[in-house]
Amino acid sequence: MEIDTKQLGFGTGTRAPWAVDPWSSRGRLVVEPVSPTRSEFQRDRDRIIHTTAFRRLKHKTQVFVAHEGDHYRTRLTHTIEVAQIARALARALKLDEDLAEGVALVHDFGHTPFGHTGEEALDELMAGAGGFDHNAQSLRIVTKLEQRYADFDGLNLTWETLEGLVKHNGPLIVEGGKPVPEPIALYNAVHDLWLATRSSLESQVAAIADDIAYNTHDIDDGLRSGLITLEMLEELPLISRLLAEVRERYPGLEEPRLIHEVMRRQITRMVEDVISVAQANIQAIKPQSADDVRHAGRTMAHFSEEFVEADRHIKAFLYRHLYRHPDVMRVRASATRIVRDLFGAFMADPSAMGDKHSHAGIEDLPVEFRARKVRDYLAGMTDTYAVAAHRRLFDHTPDLR
C-alpha cells in the first residue's frame, strides 16, 4: 500500500475535516476563560508537561531499571519518543498535532515504579478493592491527584484530551468486554467521555505511536544490554530485510551505526505504513468530522496486514528473549517483593507514608478505602523513591541487579 503524497500534510495548511477542531472543544469540567495566545489543546499539553507526574517518569522503568545504564530508555524518554511519532503522524494526516502530542505525553502517567512488574504486583494486591489499571490511574492523576491549581483538583483538561487518554486503545464499553475500571466509571458519571465509541484520530495515532516506539527502542535497548544480538534478529523478517539493506548500502559499517540505521528505518517503515492505511480508511469512510471518526465502527489508524504480522513477530520475540530473560526476571522478582512489602507496610501503618499522607482517620477507613489511598501513594512512586522507602522501613532490600 502506497502513501498518497498529494494528501500529506506538512504543518503548513489547514486541518482536515476529520481532525478535532481546538476552537470547537467540548470544553473542560470546570469552565475557564479561553487563552488569547494558545489553543485549548496547547494549554492541555503545557499543563501535562509541567506536572509532577511527568517529571517522575524520568525515574520509572521502561524495561531496564535506571542504575543498569544511563543510555537505556526510561518511561520519560519512551514518552517523548511516542509524542514525536504521534506528532509526525498527526501532521501527515492533517490532524491537530497538539492534541495528538498531549495524549501521547499523558498516556503513561499512571504507571507504577518498576514498569509492568509493579503494575502486575499492585493489581494483585488490590484484587479485593477494584484491582489496578494504569490507564485508570492516569485519569485519576489528571483529574484529582495533581493538586496545583486554586480552582480545581487535577489539571482540568479538555474533554478531547481526557477522551483520548481513556480510549486510546479503543472503546471501553463493548459487548462481552471487561467492566470499565471504577476510577474511569466514576469520572465518566460527571463528565461523559463516550466510552462506547472509538476515540479521535489524534488519539488513535498516539496509540499506534506507542507500539512503534517500544517495538523499536526495546530492540535497541536489548541489543545494548547484550541480551539480544544482531544474529538473533535475523529470525524477524522485517528486521532481517532492514539489516540486509543497510549492510548492502554500507559494507563494513561499525555495529553502533548499523543498529541505529536499522532502527531508524524500522520507525520510518512503520510510520509510513500507518499513514498509508489511515489514508485508505479515510478515503473509504469519508469522514466529514471528528465525530464521524468516533462513530466509524473501526479503528482508522493501524498497521496493514503485513505490518500486523511483523508487529506480532516482534512482540513475541521481545517477550521470549527480553521481557522473560532470566536476568530480567530476577530483577522483576526483586521489584515485585519491594512493591508487596511497601503495600503491606503502608496498610498496617499509614503513617509510614509520611506526614503529607498520614491524614487523621486513614487508619480508621474500611480496608478497601485504605487500600485505595495506599494505591495512589505507591503508584506515584519512582523506582528510586520506592527503593529508598523500602530501605527506610526494612532491614534488607532486594538487589535490583
Side-chain angles (χ1 to χ4, degrees):
M1 191 176 295
E2 295 185 358
I3 293 173
D4 184 349
T5 56
K6 294 180 180 178
Q7 298 300 317
L8 282 178
F10 292 93
T12 55
T14 58
R15 294 177 184 82
W18 50 83
V20 178
D21 181 1
W23 314 113
S24 301
S25 169
R26 286 184 166 85
R28 306 174 188 274
L29 184 61
V30 179
V31 177
E32 298 181 57
V34 299
S35 168
T37 60
R38 294 175 294 167
S39 77
E40 293 304 298
F41 304 144
Q42 286 177 296
R43 294 175 76 188
D44 281 0
R45 179 203 57 207
D46 296 348
R47 289 181 183 189
I48 289 163
I49 288 173
H50 287 283
T51 58
T52 303
F54 185 75
R55 293 193 295 276
R56 285 174 178 162
L57 296 176
K58 176 183 178 183
H59 295 293
K60 290 195 176 189
T61 293
Q62 181 62 26
V63 174
F64 297 96
V65 294
H67 67 251
E68 294 186 90
D70 291 338
H71 295 168
Y72 292 117
R73 271 73 173 188
T74 65
R75 190 65 61 176
L76 177 61
T77 56
H78 161 71
T79 294
I80 293 170
E81 291 181 33
V82 174
Q84 178 267 320
I85 295 170
R87 193 166 188 112
L89 287 166
R91 177 168 293 192
L93 297 172
K94 301 180 183 178
L95 307 175
D96 188 277
E97 298 175 37
D98 299 312
L99 176 57
E101 182 181 20
V103 173
L105 290 170
V106 79
H107 84 284
D108 269 354
F109 267 22
H111 268 293
T112 63
F114 314 120
H116 290 287
T117 301
E119 179 177 5
E120 291 168 8
L122 197 50
D123 184 44
E124 181 180 332
L125 291 163
M126 291 291 298
F132 180 83
D133 177 273
H134 80 264
N135 207 36
Q137 191 68 15
S138 295
L139 183 69
R140 276 186 59 72
I141 289 169
V142 300
T143 59
K144 187 174 180 63
L145 299 181
E146 281 279 340
Q147 297 181 345
R148 309 170 60 82
Y149 297 91
D151 293 325
F152 46 78
D153 288 341
L155 308 183
N156 199 36
L157 300 176
T158 61
W159 184 95
E160 290 80 7
T161 298
L162 294 175
E163 179 221 20
L165 169 59
V166 301
K167 295 193 311 189
H168 64 273
N169 288 325
L172 295 185
I173 298 177
V174 295
E175 186 175 351
K178 296 180 180 178
V180 175
E182 185 181 49
I184 296 176
L186 289 173
Y187 184 82
N188 192 66
V190 297
H191 198 189
D192 186 2
L193 299 176
W194 295 14
L195 300 184
T197 72
R198 259 73 178 174
S199 60
S200 66
L201 201 45
E202 284 84 353
S203 177
Q204 292 180 31
V205 300
I208 198 69
D210 188 25
D211 281 0
I212 294 170
Y214 74 71
N215 274 345
T216 307
H217 66 49
D218 285 2
I219 291 176
D220 192 20
D221 281 352
L223 288 166
R224 189 182 305 278
S225 72
L227 302 183
I228 294 173
T229 66
L230 287 173
E231 290 71 28
M232 292 164 65
L233 292 177
E234 294 287 356
E235 72 179 72
L236 297 171
L238 172 63
I239 309 302
S240 179
R241 290 197 301 272
L242 296 176
L243 279 166
E245 178 182 307
V246 174
R247 284 168 171 155
E248 181 179 2
R249 182 168 181 178
Y250 303 105
L253 187 65
E254 58 267 37
E255 188 167 296
R257 292 179 188 264
L258 172 66
I259 292 170
H260 179 68
E261 288 293 332
V262 171
M263 295 300 98
R264 65 192 287 258
R265 281 167 171 75
Q266 181 181 338
I267 292 174
T268 298
R269 302 293 165 80
M270 288 185 159
V271 166
E272 290 177 350
D273 182 72
V274 171
I275 292 171
S276 65
V277 168
Q279 284 184 336
N281 284 330
I282 289 168
Q283 183 63 31
I285 296 170
K286 295 180 170 57
Q288 295 305 304
S289 68
D291 281 355
D292 285 351
V293 173
R294 294 183 175 101
H295 293 291
R298 58 181 166 126
T299 300
M300 295 176 63
H302 56 83
F303 291 130
S304 65
E305 290 185 8
E306 176 189 353
F307 276 79
V308 165
E309 187 68 6
D311 176 68
R312 185 183 67 79
H313 281 299
I314 290 171
K315 284 181 168 61
F317 175 90
L318 289 170
Y319 189 90
R320 186 168 63 253
H321 294 297
L322 185 61
Y323 307 145
R324 289 295 182 267
H325 189 281
D327 290 350
V328 175
M329 293 301 292
R330 184 174 61 252
V331 173
R332 290 191 63 178
S334 296
T336 297
R337 180 181 165 188
I338 290 172
V339 172
R340 288 175 175 166
D341 286 349
L342 290 176
F343 186 87
F346 297 149
M347 285 293 289
D349 179 13
S351 68
M353 291 189 286
D355 291 340
K356 182 178 178 182
H357 296 274
S358 58
H359 304 296
I362 289 181
E363 64 278 2
D364 299 324
L365 291 173
V367 171
E368 180 178 343
F369 292 97
R370 191 190 318 164
R372 291 173 182 175
K373 294 282 189 180
V374 172
R375 170 200 64 193
D376 289 342
Y377 181 59
L378 186 51
M381 288 184 172
T382 62
D383 297 6
T384 50
Y385 192 91
V387 170
H390 195 279
R391 286 176 177 158
R392 174 171 57 85
L393 296 171
F394 295 91
D395 294 333
H396 173 71
T397 295
D399 188 6
L400 297 176
R401 295 180 185 273

